[in-house]
Amino acid sequence: MRLYDVSEGEVLVHGRNVKDYSMHDLRVSFGVVPQNPFIFYGSIWDNVKIARPDATNKDVIKAMEIAHVHEFVNEMQNGWNTVVGDGGVNLSGGQMQRIAIARAVLGNPDILIFDEATSALDNISEKHIQQAMEDLMKTHTIIIVAHRLSTIKNVDRIMVFKDGEVVEEGTYGELEHKGGAFTELLNN
């Protein structure tokens, strides 16, 4: 997203150097689900739709279904129109994450980045977030930054970093028995 520029080499998106894209075109290609998503004062609906104000109702509902928001919002007295406070004070961590996923999905980016999206969640919420990520993997490029290794069990390719360098690369199955840095992380 060019929040930082590389000092060596290049970063390619769709085979093109990121520096060859306009900032706008590059950034709309990405959807980010941060570890601590920001929830605005307003309805759950508005918190999702802020990603694309011109979205149709059908688009918003589809994004919420992909993110499994409907599983908790249907239990709320005002459903999608439930008003939440700044920072999501009325919501659990898992609910905020699912709203953030719906928001990212609604933007219809080519690439989704999940930055420690399950690190502070209970097992049930983590399961919902993982299911949403796995569903999205079928249609999008997904980058997952994770310390919780259960989050990356079903990804196509894992890159293990140590001191800013890639030290191992492969699938979960390949790396878990390799005896290297990934195996060490599993054992810890």
Side-chain angles (χ1 to χ4, degrees), residues 148-162:
R148 190 180 280 189
L149 300 180
S150 59
T151 306
I152 58 172
K153 202 164 198 160
N154 297 320
V155 301
D156 295 330
R157 187 166 124 199
I158 297 170
M159 299 173 78
V160 182
F161 287 81
K162 187 172 184 178

Side-chain angles (χ1 to χ4, degrees), residues 126-138:
E126 180 186 12
K127 181 181 172 191
H128 289 298
I129 302 300
Q130 282 180 321
Q131 184 60 55
M133 287 191 290
E134 289 181 21
D135 292 344
L136 288 165
M137 284 180 211
K138 298 171 187 168

Side-chain angles (χ1 to χ4, degrees), residues 4-115:
Y4 301 96
D5 273 327
V6 296
S7 56
E8 293 180 28
E10 60 185 355
V11 176
L12 304 176
V13 173
H14 302 302
R16 286 178 52 200
N17 191 310
V18 293
K19 294 179 181 179
D20 294 338
Y21 288 91
S22 73
M23 284 294 203
H24 175 266
D25 289 347
L26 181 66
R27 291 188 177 162
V28 297
S29 295
F30 288 87
V32 180
V33 180
Q35 181 175 3
N36 298 310
F38 191 80
I39 303 297
F40 301 93
Y41 177 85
S43 70
I44 292 172
W45 183 271
D46 291 340
N47 264 280
V48 173
K49 195 167 179 176
I50 196 169
R52 204 175 99 215
D54 65 330
T56 66
N57 290 350
K58 185 178 177 182
D59 292 336
V60 176
I61 291 169
K62 183 178 178 186
M64 289 190 192
E65 287 174 349
I66 289 169
H68 299 268
V69 173
H70 62 286
E71 292 177 7
F72 70 86
V73 86
N74 289 337
E75 297 172 4
M76 297 179 159
Q77 184 175 4
N78 295 318
W80 310 114
N81 294 317
T82 299
V83 174
V84 293
D86 275 333
V89 293
N90 309 4
L91 302 170
S92 72
Q95 291 169 337
M96 288 190 294
Q97 286 297 71
R98 287 186 264 174
I99 290 169
I101 291 170
R103 186 185 298 158
V105 167
L106 183 62
N108 197 27
D110 297 327
I111 301 166
L112 284 160
I113 300 172
F114 291 87
D115 185 5

Side-chain angles (χ1 to χ4, degrees), residues 117-130:
T118 64
S119 66
L121 303 181
D122 59 80
N123 289 337
I124 294 169
S125 294
E126 180 186 12
K127 181 181 172 191
H128 289 298
I129 302 300
Q130 282 180 321

